Amino acid sequence: MAKPIIKVAAVCGSLREGSFHRGLVRAAIQLCQESFKEIQIEQVEINQLPLLNTDLEGQGTFPPAVEAFRQKIKEADSILFASPEYNFSIAAPMKNAIDWASRPPNAWANKAAAIVSTGGNGGGERAQYHLRQVGVFLDLHFINTPLFSLNAFEQPAKFDKDGNLVHAETKERLKGVLLALHEFTLRIRGK
């Protein structure tokens, strides 16, 4: 029996094209295309979002880039956050995107979510913790395991010069996150 298909919106908190976080999202998309047809991931860009300013809101409307972003979040069954850590917290572009989609009506409400992060020693664990705290207020439901935080600078190399994930063991860990997100999404949706 075929598993139900879920639509995942991938939100990357790094705006840099060659960032390792974008590499994690690209790898997740590729893994799903190759191995998990029941998971469809679309990267939802946040680089066109203006800084949050409620003066830009009309009567029930938002700037066009914000409307498009919010619609993608609403259409998704679940969210995959690729969250860099800056100064022990969530990156500013990620927080800005979260805030825009939380404006009434909250586009994040009652969605399953997972976080992947990479960086130095902690691999982004403090940003993950902060993102989970924000998720409580937003009614986002994060998977608890497996935790995916990666020290990108430890040998062997995890990424190539273009920021693409090349490390086989790390790809297996990423698969575990995707499978857990699929299962948890179906559980939340009552399937």
Side-chain angles (χ1 to χ4, degrees):
M1 182 170 161
K3 293 182 179 180
I5 294 174
I6 65 164
K7 290 172 54 175
V8 178
V11 180
C12 180
S14 177
L15 303 182
R16 201 170 55 79
E17 283 301 317
S19 81
F20 294 156
H21 287 88
R22 285 182 174 271
L24 290 174
V25 170
R26 286 191 301 272
I29 291 169
Q30 182 180 8
L31 288 169
C32 289
Q33 290 171 344
E34 293 171 357
S35 304
F36 306 119
K37 303 291 186 201
E38 64 273 10
I39 306 171
Q40 297 174 350
I41 301 176
E42 178 183 359
Q43 183 166 354
V44 183
E45 293 294 342
I46 63 174
N47 58 347
Q48 297 300 317
L49 297 176
L51 290 176
L52 180 68
N53 177 352
T54 56
D55 288 344
L56 299 176
E57 295 179 27
Q59 293 190 358
T61 63
F62 299 93
V66 174
E67 286 281 5
F69 175 73
R70 288 173 55 84
Q71 190 59 39
K72 293 285 187 184
I73 299 304
K74 287 181 200 174
E75 291 170 357
D77 298 309
S78 56
I79 312 297
L80 176 64
F81 290 101
S83 181
E85 180 179 307
Y86 295 142
N87 300 317
F88 287 12
S89 191
I90 305 164
M94 174 79 77
K95 184 65 167 75
N96 187 57
I98 290 168
D99 291 345
W100 270 121
S102 73
R103 298 293 299 150
N106 177 12
W108 305 109
N110 205 33
K111 294 197 185 288
I115 311 167
V116 295
S117 61
T118 186
N121 293 335
E125 289 178 355
R126 291 171 292 235
Q128 286 198 27
Y129 180 64
H130 283 186
L131 185 51
R132 288 172 183 276
Q133 288 175 318
V134 171
V136 170
F137 180 77
L138 300 175
D139 196 26
L140 271 167
H141 307 287
F142 288 100
I143 63 169
N144 290 318
T145 58
L147 174 68
F148 188 103
S149 59
L150 176 68
N151 184 333
F153 307 107
E154 250 177 10
Q155 291 300 317
K158 310 298 187 286
F159 298 90
D160 66 16
K161 65 179 178 52
D162 298 317
N164 296 306
L165 183 62
V166 294
H167 188 246
E169 288 177 31
T170 302
K171 287 183 181 183
E172 288 301 313
R173 288 182 55 211
L174 185 55
K175 283 181 185 180
V177 170
L178 297 171
L179 290 173
L181 180 60
H182 183 265
E183 180 184 317
F184 191 54
T185 302
L186 295 179
R187 203 163 65 206
I188 285 177
R189 289 175 49 202
K191 302 274 181 178

